[in-house]
Amino acid sequence: MKSENRDAKLQTRHLSLVARHCNPGYREAIEAVRFLKKGWAAQPRVGIVLGSGLGEVVRKLRGARTVSYRHVPHFPKPTVAGHAGTVHLGFWGELPVAMLEGRVHLYEGYAPAAVVFPTRVLALAGIEVLVVTCAAGGISPRATPGSIMLLSDHLNLQGANPLAGAHDSRWGPRFVDMIEAYDPELRRQARRAAARLRLKCFAGIYAALAGPTYETPAEIRALRRLGADAVGMSTVLEVIAARQLGVRVLAMATITNRAAGLSRRPLSHGEVLEVGKRAGRDLARLLDALIRHLSEGRP
Ligand code: HPA
């Protein structure tokens, strides 16, 4: 009887460890924040999530402390080419910035709570603004390869939401307003900076699907009818988590290809990375102009 009790206890403990590993929560986020702050005293004001092939942007940081996701407690480990899995803490101009190079996705088998965990950690570390970047397939005629789309809204078609499940009020309200999830003022500033730099940039609606297959031509036709300007497999869960914590969001997609059925070429991850790399240079310039603007204290 005694040993049965002990087995049952061990099993409960094991299950709760597995659940926490798969669904890291508030306690785990505090541990991760403590770990990151140990080596870097400054409080980050802006957080940046870098999507596929956008690693170029990292070079802008001065005095960066770089840590692999492997070493940050409870951080998920990216499994996709082009997603390094590194946190960079440093200064962009005068502004303390925390950068997430690489993200994990639902299609890697991660739970929504794991997908948004690094974003939540940055929010708890004190960022006021989150800049999320990603690669996307272009649907509207303006969304040509190499252009940059500033997200003005999204369609969450991923079938998942990081706020679903038991509600922990330490993250914020359960029912989060999403009307201006993408901060209009930050978007205006980004548009102005892009115009000054003569970059091809427009505002549009991002449809997020779970992936990992690219879409079928029929799905793209349906998304076009739903009002989507571009399509991708990320971003929206992170935006939802940030908005719950009251962080202002700017999201930018580099258009790496015309979406399925809109050009003759088959879609390939290699092409996404290659065009993403080139577009990443433009994105780095745009971010630079924007961050300098923010560091001058103009919100
Ligand atoms: N579809 C989905 N995600 C993407 C695409 C696409 O065409 N291009 C880059 N990320």
Side-chain angles (χ1 to χ4, degrees), residues 18-29 73-76 111-117 120 171:
V18 170
R20 273 204 280 135
H21 178 70
C22 298
N23 281 298
Y26 197 83
R27 200 170 99 192
E28 287 74 23
H74 314 293
F75 257 47
V115 172
V116 303
F117 185 75
R120 283 179 161 163
W171 293 126

Side-chain angles (χ1 to χ4, degrees), residues 52 135-138 206 209 213-215 220 231-233 254-260 267 272:
S52 300
Y206 174 88
L209 272 64
T213 49
Y214 289 111
E215 302 68 35
I220 294 301
V231 60
M233 305 174 195
T254 50
I255 306 297
T256 51
N257 56 281
R258 293 291 291 157
L267 299 182
V272 166

Side-chain angles (χ1 to χ4, degrees), residues 163-175 244:
L163 313 195
H167 177 230
D168 184 339
S169 60
R170 289 173 294 184
W171 293 126
R174 169 161 244 167
F175 301 104
Q244 187 184 33

Side-chain angles (χ1 to χ4, degrees), residues 89-119:
L89 302 164
F91 288 88
W92 192 322
E94 299 304 311
L95 203 69
V97 167
M99 214 180 265
L100 298 170
E101 188 187 4
R103 54 156 65 90
V104 301
H105 307 78
L106 289 174
Y107 63 71
E108 292 169 76
Y110 283 106
V115 172
V116 303
F117 185 75
T119 301

